Amino acid sequence: MENFPTTNKKLIDWVNKMNKLCGPERIVWIDGSEEQKLTLEKECVVSGELLRLNKDKLPGCFLHRTTQDDVSRTEHLTFICTKKKRDAGPNNNWMSPDKAYRKARPIFKGAMAGRTMYVIPFSMGPVGSPFSKIGVELTDSRYVVLNMLIMAHCGEAVLRQIEKEDDFTKCLHSKAQLDINKRLILHFPEDNTIWSVGSGYGGNVLLGKKCLSLRIASYVARKEKWMAEHMLIMGIEEPNGHVEYIAAAFPSACGKTNLAMLVPPEGLKQKGYRIWTVGDDISWMRVDSDGSLWAVNPETGFFGVAPGTNSKSNPNMVEAIKGNTIYTNVLLKPDNTVWWEGADGEVPNQGIDWKGNPWKPNLKDMQGMIIKGAHANARFTAPIVNCPSASFRLEQHHGVPISAIIFGGRREHVAPLVYESFSWQHGVFVGATMGSELTAAQVGKIGQVRRDPMAMLPFCGYNMADYFKHWLNMGKLMAKPPKIFHVNWFKTDEHGKFLWPGFCENLRILEWILDRCNNKVNAMETPIGYLPYPFDIDMTGLSLTEAALEKLLKVERLEWLEELKGVNKFFSDFKKDLPKELWEEYKALMERLKKYGK
Ligand code: GTP
Ligand code: SPV
Ligand code: MN
């Protein structure tokens, strides 16, 4: 038997069992040391898994290319495996645990032959915080190890914690043959287990992220009366030093990362705001003894979308990815730096594209389509501490108090720029009825609208009817629940152009939101909720026509009535399981709309 650096029987038995199944040549335990990391990087460069980037311009940075059919999460191959189908709900693909293990076992069988199996003990949340959860990921991918070292607390300290807690999520990953026909992302909430095979893409293989911190965590959170959400967390500091925190749920590639680290726009600068980034993707929240909702970000890194990231859209991120960053599926420039569509500077006149082919601008494929240098879902993995706006409260075991929860989708029409819900229950309805157009972050037809409640459709590890009930119940546990808002940065005019400039200018809307939380401004009552009076949004330094603002803040009765048809269909899928409060809200909204503007 191997010499294991732990005495925890559960861990030893499980590693031995998986070792037998996957048949690696050897086992290496990840200790979290710099030395081990450097060794792994060197091995990756030799094997070709990573390419070392320009040491002067991008120190400690690497480029990785995935296979061409492994560039985003594969939701159709992702399953929740509970004994009862009902517990997974209509929102998930379901397989019985027996069947799932039976299906995956032969794919894992001997899959690590000739490879090393890495054992990564990791903690989501600060090690030892009562709020944190521990996992151990077994993987045959060094790329996964190096990414996990950025995204979570890994190594020795976590092993010691496992000895105390005697509990952890069992996460097994093998890239196997990277065969999409033998790819499965399986969650067994009843066994506290995740099995992922046949992929090398972030969301499918960094098992601490979506798999543990959202799918498994949401399941656990309901039982333990807390919340695991697909939300950014940010602090907005006023000139007097007071910081207010908000959490916002937008679907994948809809602007969480951008908002979480925005730099105040010129026009608002003299007000002296400062933004603190706590997290850009996941928020774990619980009710504290003060009756408010407190949030922690369980991650230590960003796994962000590269295309569109530049000094104008996100200057803090541009700083954060200058060192110790892993780039995936971006364009390689001749000087060993990287580029993507919408990056700073000029378009390079040549390079190697994300597929590894020679590239130059305006190159077309067989169908006459322009070939992109970077994949639309190309990503970077960077430590949060690299970010100039990183919050000083990141490692605090207690988290930060949340004043407002914001939902938002990518909608050309229907949803106005911002509105406030009437109550917690109405806010839950607003979140539950969210819709968004598909992006490159998931496999599917880009642009198509789908309902994505609380931006959790792909990430809720159980029946969403129960999830909505849980949200309603959480509201009752709070003496001071956050107010709930909805935003839409993506409304377009008749030519399909965005009406709202977005990005840093979004602070103007956050300002209104906080003013509402602090009872500083009045608002207009409409059927869908409270909307701002145009004069309550600070427009200093922004040239936006009155007509555009009016359009952004318009509630289109007919569009909303049409929208409700989609909501009705979505709710009906949950049959009698859907909480009656949501149908009540649905009917009340319908009534208000019918009377509106008549
Ligand atoms: P995940 O990491 O997939 O969960 O996504 P995310 O929600 O963090 O998305 P991100 O911030 O990376 O947003 C990516 C896309 O949204 C890019 O194409 C941005 O250009 C675009 N985007 C972000 N903020 C805005 C905005 O305010 N207005 C507009 N029009 N586009 C935006
Ligand atoms: C998302 O798709 O919401 C992401 C990227 O944050 S991934 O980790 O791949 O899911
Ligand atoms: Mn995400």
Side-chain angles (χ1 to χ4, degrees):
M1 198 178 85
E2 309 269 344
N3 190 14
F4 290 171
T6 177
T7 55
N8 184 266
K9 192 163 175 324
K10 246 190 213 168
L11 180 54
I12 293 172
D13 289 350
W14 175 64
V15 173
N16 278 329
K17 210 168 145 192
M18 295 305 110
N19 179 31
K20 231 180 185 165
L21 173 66
C22 302
E25 198 170 282
R26 58 184 191 134
I27 299 178
V28 168
W29 290 70
I30 297 304
D31 58 16
S33 69
E34 187 64 16
E35 207 183 329
Q36 192 183 41
K37 186 183 112 181
L38 293 175
T39 306
L40 284 164
E41 287 173 353
K42 278 189 196 136
E43 288 174 11
C44 280
V45 170
V46 171
S47 71
E49 286 159 279
L50 292 182
L51 195 144
R52 192 183 294 279
L53 294 168
N54 190 309
K55 279 187 174 168
D56 300 320
K57 294 179 184 163
L58 293 169
C61 294
F62 296 87
L63 168 66
H64 173 78
R65 295 191 191 104
T66 65
T67 58
Q68 291 180 29
D69 61 3
D70 195 19
V71 292
S72 52
R73 280 180 292 102
T74 36
E75 292 176 9
H76 60 296
L77 304 173
T78 302
F79 292 82
I80 299 296
C81 311
T82 45
K83 288 199 189 84
K84 290 191 203 129
K85 182 169 186 197
R86 190 249 160 235
D87 293 342
N91 48 295
N92 279 304
N93 299 315
W94 173 82
M95 231 192 275
S96 75
D98 279 353
K99 186 177 169 196
Y101 286 126
R102 226 182 313 123
K103 231 179 139 163
R105 213 171 269 123
I107 312 177
F108 275 109
K109 184 92 201 132
M112 297 188 189
R115 299 178 185 165
T116 301
M117 179 166 89
Y118 298 94
V119 184
I120 318 169
F122 65 92
S123 173
M124 300 314 295
V127 182
S129 152
F131 214 66
S132 301
K133 295 283 173 203
I134 286 180
V136 179
E137 178 161 354
L138 308 180
T139 179
D140 55 3
S141 161
R142 293 187 194 90
Y143 169 78
V144 167
V145 176
L146 290 170
N147 273 275
M148 285 293 286
L149 286 170
I150 297 174
M151 297 305 292
H153 301 83
C154 301
E156 287 287 343
V158 183
L159 274 187
R160 299 291 81 83
Q161 194 62 23
I162 292 178
E163 268 146 31
K164 275 193 224 155
E165 290 184 20
D166 195 30
D167 196 23
F168 59 92
T169 304
K170 301 185 278 291
C171 308
L172 175 66
H173 166 251
S174 171
K175 49 190 179 178
Q177 305 310 313
L178 293 173
D179 180 354
I180 192 166
N181 297 309
K182 289 184 182 166
R183 184 174 299 160
L184 286 169
I185 322 297
L186 308 170
H187 304 73
F188 304 90
E190 291 152 354
D191 300 343
N192 201 6
T193 294
I194 302 160
W195 279 18
S196 163
V197 70
S199 174
Y201 168 73
N204 289 337
V205 300
L206 308 178
L207 301 184
K209 196 173 175 58
K210 295 302 167 54
C211 301
L212 191 159
S213 292
L214 287 178
R215 297 198 190 94
I216 296 290
S218 62
Y219 175 92
V220 174
R222 174 167 162 255
K223 299 205 155 157
E224 297 178 355
K225 297 195 170 64
W226 52 279
M227 308 166 92
E229 301 296 332
H230 190 203
M231 291 178 179
L232 67 91
I233 311 166
M234 68 193 280
I236 298 148
E237 183 177 331
E238 293 165 11
N240 63 11
H242 176 71
V243 190
E244 294 236 17
Y245 294 89
I246 61 166
F250 310 154
S252 302
C254 290
K256 287 184 298 302
T257 301
N258 278 275
L259 190 66
M261 52 194 75
L262 73 72
V263 171
E266 270 318 312
L268 289 194
K269 262 203 189 125
Q270 87 271 15
K271 283 190 173 169
Y273 285 112
R274 192 162 176 178
I275 302 301
W276 297 104
T277 309
V278 182
D280 80 326
D281 201 46
I282 299 176
S283 173
W284 284 358
M285 304 188 286
R286 72 200 155 92
V287 182
D288 209 334
S289 49
D290 65 349
S292 321
L293 196 60
W294 288 68
V296 299
N297 168 17
E299 302 188 287
T300 57
F302 304 124
F303 182 60
V305 179
T309 304
N310 59 52
S311 324
K312 200 160 165 277
S313 67
N314 196 342
N316 279 317
M317 190 57 98
V318 169
E319 275 310 308
I321 58 181
K322 283 185 174 163
N324 300 320
T325 296
I326 301 172
Y327 291 91
T328 302
N329 292 340
V330 297
L331 177 110
L332 178 67
K333 295 208 291 188
D335 67 346
N336 262 351
T337 62
V338 289
W339 182 85
W340 46 81
E341 282 67 20
D344 279 331
E346 284 178 20
V347 177
N349 52 24
Q350 59 169 313
I352 308 286
D353 72 11
W354 69 274
K355 295 181 180 171
N357 298 324
W359 179 94
K360 56 183 193 223
N362 298 318
L363 200 66
K364 298 206 173 88
D365 66 11
M366 309 262 257
Q367 281 82 41
M369 300 285 280
I370 296 258
I371 297 178
K372 291 204 166 151
H375 186 271
N377 194 39
R379 297 218 171 219
F380 43 72
T381 320
I384 296 185
V385 292
N386 279 8
C387 182
S389 64
S391 166
F392 55 94
R393 289 172 75 156
L394 267 172
E395 285 296 312
Q396 283 189 8
H397 288 198
H398 213 71
V400 296
I402 298 298
S403 302
I405 286 177
I406 306 175
F407 295 121
R410 187 183 278 267
R411 297 303 298 269
E412 285 182 34
H413 308 290
V414 192
L417 182 57
V418 58
Y419 64 99
E420 177 192 333
S421 62
F422 295 121
S423 62
W424 179 268
Q425 176 173 310
H426 178 233
V428 174
F429 173 81
V430 169
T433 55
M434 256 169 75
S436 196
E437 288 142 22
L438 288 182
T439 64
Q442 52 288 117
V443 171
K445 194 163 169 282
I446 291 177
Q448 202 181 343
V449 174
R450 76 161 171 187
R451 307 245 71 86
D452 189 352
M454 284 86 172
M456 279 289 277
L457 183 73
F459 307 119
C460 182
Y462 60 101
N463 192 322
M464 264 197 153
D466 297 337
Y467 171 78
F468 298 145
K469 187 83 211 161
H470 178 50
W471 263 84
L472 292 166
N473 288 339
M474 287 300 297
K476 293 179 193 139
L477 294 180
M478 285 180 263
K480 287 175 276 175
K483 282 193 181 221
I484 300 179
F485 297 81
H486 187 284
V487 298
N488 177 21
W489 316 137
F490 300 92
K491 220 175 176 190
T492 54
D493 64 14
E494 56 279 16
H495 309 292
K497 255 193 81 195
F498 291 126
L499 283 161
W500 177 249
F503 300 96
C504 65
E505 308 296 345
N506 294 335
L507 181 59
R508 299 172 194 275
I509 305 307
L510 299 185
E511 193 180 31
W512 181 78
I513 286 173
L514 289 180
D515 280 349
R516 286 295 293 168
C517 292
N518 295 316
N519 298 317
K520 285 193 189 155
V521 286
N522 290 325
M524 222 173 351
E525 193 171 331
T526 79
I528 62 166
Y530 297 114
L531 263 78
Y533 290 108
F535 51 80
D536 279 328
I537 298 179
D538 189 337
M539 289 295 196
T540 314
L542 184 65
S543 58
L544 191 77
T545 64
E546 243 172 69
L549 189 59
E550 195 179 305
K551 220 172 198 164
L552 281 162
L553 295 177
K554 183 130 202 247
V555 179
E556 302 274 5
R557 181 172 166 269
L558 292 179
E559 283 181 6
W560 276 94
L561 284 169
E562 191 60 32
E563 179 80 358
L564 280 185
K565 290 185 191 161
V567 170
N568 186 312
K569 191 176 167 306
F570 180 72
F571 277 3
S572 300
D573 286 345
F574 294 96
K575 306 213 166 77
K576 62 173 193 349
D577 291 330
L578 194 88
K580 64 171 190 342
E581 290 88 339
L582 293 184
W583 277 124
E584 280 165 22
E585 289 293 338
Y586 172 91
K587 281 182 202 136
L589 173 57
M590 178 78 91
E591 287 311 310
R592 291 193 299 266
L593 281 168
K594 278 186 181 157
K595 278 187 239 148
Y596 189 55
K598 277 201 150 175

